Amino acid sequence: DVKVTQSSRYLVKRTGEKVFLECVQDMDHENMFWYRQDPGLGLRLIYFSYDVKMKEKGDIPEGYSVSREKKERFSLILESASTNQTSMYLCASSLSLAGEQFFGPGTRLTVL
Amino acid sequence: DQQVKQNSPSLSVQEGRISILNCDYTNSMFDYFLWYKKYPAEGPTFLISISSIKDKNEDGRFTVFLNKSAKHLSLHIVPSQPGDSAVYFCAASANTNAGKSTFGDGTTLTVKP
């Protein structure tokens, strides 16, 4: 059974804190993605990676960075969390960039 | 500029009837389209896809129709079941866009028993 796991389901952080969101996939997929989901705004792509150590900005990369040191792991980093980064964060992986994506369960991040 | 639009935020249908979810796109380079379903507190799951070389793809109760000239696709669910109640996202991709998918805002479907 293919799986994408995210390190936390719920996370509460304070403004200014550095936040790490971890994502691991067991499907040997080349491509991994980070999205945020907000009411009425759908899924917005933050960053994606098509290979180890490779990353590309998505539609809303400001305030975020990513790390992909191993094929199976893709981390999203909030260098200094702000209240407008309170959101649901979804990680996904896929065999091809355009193809079906497999999503993790999401991390609901609240920044106070 | 939103390239993939789902203009209906919500849809309510009676169990057993047809559900039709719509999606419009503006980028004529999009050549592959996907639908995902999302339950609360879970990640989206892939439902069905269609390539631009086809105008229809069917999988059980789910059928996706593509009208390239109108830049419109629709997902039909027949018959609708209460378990189909979820948020449905339309996504589109193009080889020239590094292939990654662009998602719509989603439509919340409620199927009433």
Side-chain angles (χ1 to χ4, degrees):
Chain A
D1 194 20
V2 296
K3 204 171 249 191
V4 178
T5 56
Q6 295 183 229
S7 50
S8 305
R9 291 302 299 269
Y10 300 94
L11 209 52
V12 180
K13 295 292 181 180
R14 296 212 173 269
T15 302
E17 278 193 80
K18 190 169 186 175
V19 181
F20 291 88
L21 302 182
E22 305 283 342
C23 175
V24 177
Q25 52 99 359
D26 65 0
M27 293 164 280
D28 202 34
H29 284 165
E30 303 289 338
N31 307 287
M32 296 188 74
F33 308 82
W34 275 106
Y35 297 89
R36 61 179 283 178
Q37 184 194 2
D38 300 288
L41 296 176
L43 296 175
R44 293 183 292 166
L45 182 64
I46 304 171
Y47 267 96
F48 69 100
S49 168
Y50 53 88
D51 201 352
V52 175
K53 296 192 185 295
M54 306 304 290
K55 60 187 179 184
E56 292 282 343
K57 291 180 180 179
D59 301 315
I60 52 163
E62 296 79 17
Y64 304 94
S65 62
V66 290
S67 173
R68 186 133 181 238
E69 296 296 319
K70 293 184 178 181
K71 190 175 187 180
E72 67 270 19
R73 189 178 297 268
F74 192 34
S75 304
L76 180 69
I77 303 150
L78 288 66
E79 293 290 340
S80 178
S82 63
T83 54
N84 63 12
Q85 292 178 310
T86 291
S87 187
M88 169 68 82
Y89 289 88
L90 291 160
C91 174
S93 71
S94 67
L95 197 56
S96 66
L97 271 176
E100 173 191 353
Q101 294 183 22
F102 295 84
F103 284 84
T107 295
R108 168 91 41 205
L109 173 67
T110 302
V111 183
L112 301 174
Chain B
D1 176 33
Q2 193 169 11
Q3 298 188 67
V4 178
K5 295 180 183 179
Q6 295 177 254
N7 291 318
S8 298
S10 62
L11 175 69
S12 182
V13 300
Q14 208 65 36
E15 181 179 6
R17 306 294 291 269
I18 184 171
S19 296
I20 300 176
L21 296 98
N22 294 303
C23 179
D24 296 294
Y25 61 96
T26 56
N27 188 341
S28 57
M29 300 306 293
F30 285 147
D31 55 10
Y32 191 63
F33 305 88
L34 310 95
W35 284 94
Y36 291 84
K37 179 168 76 172
K38 184 183 185 300
Y39 293 119
E42 294 182 15
T45 55
F46 170 75
L47 195 56
I48 192 169
S49 63
I50 187 166
S51 164
S52 60
I53 62 172
K54 301 174 84 172
D55 54 19
K56 177 183 173 181
N57 189 25
E58 193 172 348
D59 183 3
R61 296 186 297 114
F62 302 91
T63 303
V64 56
F65 294 92
L66 175 62
N67 182 334
K68 289 186 288 294
S69 60
K71 295 191 180 69
H72 176 84
L73 64 155
S74 60
L75 174 68
H76 293 214
I77 306 173
V78 181
S80 301
Q81 299 173 355
D84 295 329
S85 297
V87 179
Y88 289 79
F89 291 100
C90 167
S93 63
N95 284 331
T96 56
N97 189 29
K100 61 181 175 63
S101 292
T102 299
F103 285 79
D105 291 347
T107 296
T108 300
L109 172 67
T110 303
V111 180
K112 297 179 179 178

